[in-house]
Amino acid sequence: MARERQLPRLPQLSRRSLLGGAAAAAGAATLTATGAGTASAASTRTVDVAIVGAGLAGLTAARDLVAAGRSVAVLEARDRVGGRVVGLNLANGGVTEGGGEFIGPTQDRIKALADSLGVQTFATYNTGNNLLYKDGKKTPYTTDGILGAVPPIDAAGLANAAIVQATLDDLAKQIPVAAPWTAAKADEWDRQTFETWLRANAVVPSAKFLFDVACTSIFSAEPRELSFLFVLFYIAAAGDASHPGTLERLTETANGAQELRFVGGSQLVPVKLAATLGDRVVLNAPVRTIARSGGDHVVTADGITVTAKKVVVAVPPPIAARISYDPLLPAARDQLTQRLPMASVGKAIAIYDTPFWRADGLNGQVVSDTGVISSTFDNSPPDASYGALMGFIEADEARKLDAASEAEVRAAVLKDYVTYFGEKAASPTSFVLQRWNNEAYTRGGPVSIAAPGVLTQYGPALRRPVGGIHWAGTETSTYWMGFMDGAVRSGERVAKEVLEALEAL
């Protein structure tokens, strides 16, 4: 613990394990739920609980409700399950993750779910040197030496970054994860951006660089976009009731949130979970309206209408806001959803015959101050039968490319890969691209973000039921918000909440 407090361990760049959406690269197929139905014209159902969204949150809630003897219908807008978790099929027969991918220590709920479904994990490739590309210079560095995963910046920057990281962890301990807006200094922290706080505290330029990269890698947002209170809550939530959250747990690969991947791709978890629910899951059924009708609710989606005693909305807040509600939602809830936009992110994966960087002593992980891609990972399968370099396109860089063609994005990405890994990176055997900002049913990722003033003014409406409507999704989780684990936790929480409400009828 002493070393953790003395040395920053920022850019093993966080992969929060929950991205958004579905739109795969042209020609790339995605896994669908075995046994799931498709909405047909004028189909109707009557159930105890209607669930909007077949991501991990909605499917987990459905599992628990069915186990308790309740009838459910899960309505999914897409032609697949998984929400912000999606597998992209490759031309060579492999699969890579286009969305949520990694899990790590204290993320026990997603691990338990995967174990129950027989989906195995393997260690993220982390053997060899990381690369720091800064000021036009490429520097390999070890992750198991005296400095751990700290990039080799100047001594003054290291010292400043150590103080900043220790301060962030200490302040995060003051955040009640179930209600961050009740922290003693919540108003003060929610009046400023993370950028403002960093400028006052990360005073050495190289230290500021580390935290800027860590911010975009964790949130897919720039420091100027985020409330400082929201950042502290996110750190506090990177743990569980027995292990306080830390920034290091967010940013590390070994012993951190990027430690493990799923054999066969992360979408296997929701696909197998949906298979246990059979035709209770209805695909191609975007929900348009939720209306109260006597003591029930009528949920109208394309091709199907469901009458239910209770409703669970398990989609991101900005997407939930696009549903029409009758009666209108309370102002606080509606205003909250207006103020929680999705961050901006894409994933670009280049496929090669072999993971050639490994022969050069590299683990495929890069931290960069320039280019379209500022962080990368080795996304190769566990048997290394082919190589896969995955890079994140984040925040400002993602927005710049929203209107670019896939060919333009590919060229920009491969230029960065060549800069980092040499000319062998210029000629992949295939290339897949996932741009979440342009995906109809997510419009960004990995998570909704809060600007100053949002949590303190509107936070209490985040999980508060509205009549018979209950809210789930990773944004509502008290631990691991923004990750697959947070989604599963939210589904478990909302199922208990709904069961109690049903028993009270």
Side-chain angles (χ1 to χ4, degrees), residues 17-20 84-86 97-102 266-267 347 484:
S17 305
L18 186 59
L19 292 175
R84 288 173 263 182
V85 179
V86 60
E97 296 90 347
E101 178 170 349
F102 302 106
S266 53
Q267 199 193 356
K347 292 181 79 174
M484 290 186 287

Side-chain angles (χ1 to χ4, degrees), residues 122-473:
F122 67 103
T124 302
Y125 190 78
N126 198 39
T127 301
N129 290 331
N130 282 28
L131 283 177
L132 171 66
Y133 187 81
K134 189 175 186 298
D135 300 325
K137 180 182 178 182
K138 183 166 60 177
T139 306
Y141 64 98
T142 182
T143 61
D144 56 4
I146 188 171
L147 296 181
V150 184
I153 61 172
D154 57 279
L158 287 174
N160 187 199
I163 294 170
V164 172
Q165 177 166 321
T167 301
L168 287 170
D169 285 347
D170 284 343
L171 294 179
K173 291 176 183 177
Q174 302 177 38
I175 303 293
V177 292
W181 46 87
T182 65
K185 294 186 178 181
D187 288 339
E188 173 187 336
W189 293 333
D190 207 28
R191 283 197 298 266
Q192 60 186 305
T193 65
F194 190 34
E195 173 71 18
T196 301
W197 189 88
L198 283 176
R199 288 187 177 184
N201 291 273
V203 295
V204 179
S206 56
K208 178 65 161 54
F209 157 72
L210 291 183
F211 287 97
D212 285 346
V213 175
C215 180
T216 55
S217 73
I218 293 169
F219 299 101
S220 295
E222 304 293 338
R224 67 175 185 274
E225 300 179 83
L226 304 173
S227 158
F228 185 48
L229 177 63
F230 177 73
V231 171
L232 292 178
F233 160 66
Y234 215 82
I235 296 170
D240 58 26
S242 302
H243 304 86
T246 66
L247 185 58
E248 184 178 36
R249 193 174 292 123
L250 281 170
T251 59
E252 287 286 275
T253 299
N255 301 314
Q258 288 68 241
E259 185 172 63
L260 300 173
R261 296 171 58 202
F262 289 108
V263 176
S266 53
Q267 199 193 356
L268 278 179
V269 179
V271 165
K272 288 193 171 187
L273 179 54
T276 69
L277 297 168
D279 63 4
R280 298 180 183 89
V281 180
V282 182
L283 304 178
N284 298 304
V287 170
R288 307 299 181 182
T289 63
I290 300 174
R292 190 178 301 160
S293 177
D296 292 330
H297 289 78
V298 177
V299 181
T300 304
D302 290 2
I304 185 170
T305 299
V306 177
T307 300
K309 298 182 179 69
K310 300 293 179 183
V311 178
V312 171
V313 177
V315 297
I319 304 303
R322 299 179 186 187
I323 299 171
S324 178
Y325 298 86
D326 182 14
L328 293 174
L329 294 177
R333 173 68 198 186
D334 193 76
Q335 294 269 314
L336 172 72
T337 58
Q338 293 179 42
R339 288 165 170 81
L340 286 178
M342 299 300 286
S344 301
V345 69
K347 292 181 79 174
I349 303 101
I351 307 303
Y352 304 90
D353 288 333
T354 64
F356 61 85
W357 50 92
R358 296 184 184 181
D360 296 330
L362 302 175
N363 62 18
Q365 297 175 40
V366 172
V367 179
S368 176
D369 67 349
T370 190
V372 170
I373 301 290
S374 61
S375 64
T376 67
F377 276 89
D378 181 331
N379 252 41
S380 308
D383 63 0
S385 55
Y386 60 88
L389 276 177
M390 183 271 289
F392 291 98
I393 310 172
E394 320 234 36
D396 285 351
E397 293 299 329
R399 290 185 281 268
K400 290 176 185 177
L401 294 173
D402 282 343
S405 69
E406 182 173 331
E408 290 171 327
V409 177
R410 182 183 189 275
V413 168
L414 292 183
K415 179 181 178 182
D416 287 345
Y417 288 178
V418 168
T419 296
Y420 305 146
F421 300 104
E423 287 298 324
K424 290 181 181 178
S427 303
T429 58
S430 61
F431 181 90
V432 290
L433 177 65
Q434 186 86 354
R435 288 193 276 186
W436 310 111
N437 295 7
N438 296 336
E439 202 284 315
Y441 297 110
T442 309
R443 301 315 305 264
V447 68
S448 293
I449 56 175
V454 175
L455 288 181
T456 49
Q457 293 300 308
Y458 305 100
L462 187 60
R463 288 183 295 275
R464 182 187 298 152
V466 175
I469 303 173
H470 300 253
W471 312 102

